[in-house]
Amino acid sequence: AQKITQTQPGMFVQEKEAVTLDCTYDTSDPSYGLFWYKQPSSGEMIFLIYQGSYDQQNATEGRYSLNFQKARKSANLVISASQLGDSAMYFCAMREGYAGNNRKLIWGLGTSLAVNP
Amino acid sequence: EAGVAQSPRYKIIEKRQSVAFWCNPISGHATLYWYQQILGQGPKLLIQFQNNGVVDDSQLPKDRFSAERLKGVDSTLKIQPAKLEDSAVYLCASSLGGGPAKTQYFGPGTRLLVL
């Protein structure tokens, strides 16, 4: 079973509007971390935002916020006031547990976002 | 603070040739990762180092891929001999540690094309 599911292969948004990229996850571990990364066409993977499973508040970083709904196991990324430079692939990833140092990041398949002028 | 450095940025080789990639992590980051990302997919972890020790190389094709981090700082990943299916972006990342809250920071990647 997929541990990280990103159901939107591609999304379009108008410049200056907000957009939500979906991510659902599956784990039985009470301790986990959720990450969003941006990958522009240049190929570099850019860290955007992190949410810990015990964090009480939704994470925010500038124009990025994470809509964390623990009971639904969803961690959607919200980008406010979209800019042309936001056009990229966006990956959701999860890391489980505190036991040991060798837990892999589990990646979704990504969502391609295109911002229209 | 300098980010993760990788070289070369691009490499084109013929199948059966050898190739090596270099990575220098963020200063002070004990954990280093090599990923392979095939077009249209998410990254796949090849190997994870904690200082100069390997903690996970379960997905490394050891018959042709090797990696080392001798002094616990920079690292090299080698493919020998290369196959067509090795065409991908090779990403290096580093983090302060390996726990779930430890963010991985990535380098610019090396795009490999095997002809």
Side-chain angles (χ1 to χ4, degrees):
Chain A
Q2 289 276 14
K3 287 238 175 183
I4 295 285
T5 303
Q6 294 181 253
T7 57
Q8 308 149 314
M11 289 278 288
F12 292 94
V13 66
Q14 207 63 30
E15 193 178 7
K16 299 178 186 169
E17 292 185 350
V19 62
T20 298
L21 306 184
D22 295 342
C23 174
T24 57
Y25 59 92
D26 182 26
T27 182
S28 56
D29 198 321
S31 294
Y32 52 90
L34 296 157
F35 302 80
W36 276 93
Y37 285 87
K38 170 186 177 182
Q39 190 174 39
S41 57
S42 59
E44 184 173 0
M45 195 71 79
I46 302 166
F47 166 70
L48 295 178
I49 197 166
Y50 164 79
Q51 180 84 43
S53 59
Y54 293 119
D55 293 345
Q56 295 296 314
Q57 295 193 332
N58 287 346
T60 61
E61 289 286 350
R63 295 187 299 111
Y64 304 108
S65 60
L66 204 150
N67 184 0
F68 182 45
Q69 298 187 42
K70 197 170 182 177
R72 300 175 66 178
K73 293 188 175 178
S74 77
N76 299 339
L77 177 70
V78 180
I79 306 175
S80 63
S82 299
Q83 301 172 357
L84 296 178
D86 294 335
S87 295
M89 281 291 288
Y90 288 81
F91 289 95
C92 179
M94 175 177 68
R95 195 167 197 173
E96 296 169 298
Y98 285 103
N101 279 334
N102 60 346
R103 297 297 185 107
K104 295 183 184 62
L105 261 184
I106 303 162
W107 296 80
L109 293 179
T111 294
S112 177
L113 176 67
V115 180
N116 297 324
Chain B
E1 179 180 86
V4 178
Q6 287 188 250
S7 66
R9 292 295 312 276
Y10 305 92
K11 191 73 178 178
I12 301 174
I13 61 172
E14 295 188 349
K15 60 183 179 182
R16 290 188 288 273
Q17 285 187 323
S18 302
V19 65
F21 311 128
W22 175 82
C23 172
N24 194 31
I26 292 172
S27 178
H29 281 196
T31 311
L32 184 147
Y33 314 79
W34 282 103
Y35 288 89
Q36 179 193 60
Q37 187 179 21
I38 292 171
L39 189 64
Q41 299 181 18
K44 169 188 162 186
L45 179 69
L46 293 176
I47 190 166
Q48 177 184 341
F49 291 95
Q50 182 74 16
N51 297 307
N52 60 350
V54 175
V55 295
D56 188 347
D57 63 356
S58 57
Q59 298 189 97
L60 186 73
K62 298 180 185 62
D63 57 335
R64 298 184 301 106
F65 285 65
S66 64
E68 60 184 16
R69 194 185 184 200
L70 293 176
K71 297 182 179 178
V73 180
D74 56 348
S75 174
T76 55
L77 175 70
K78 295 179 182 176
I79 308 175
Q80 182 180 11
K83 292 185 175 181
L84 297 177
E85 59 261 36
D86 298 332
S87 294
V89 177
Y90 290 84
L91 295 164
C92 179
S94 70
S95 65
L96 277 171
K102 293 296 185 278
T103 300
Q104 295 182 25
Y105 296 94
F106 286 78
T110 297
R111 291 180 186 265
L112 174 67
L113 179 61
V114 182
L115 301 175

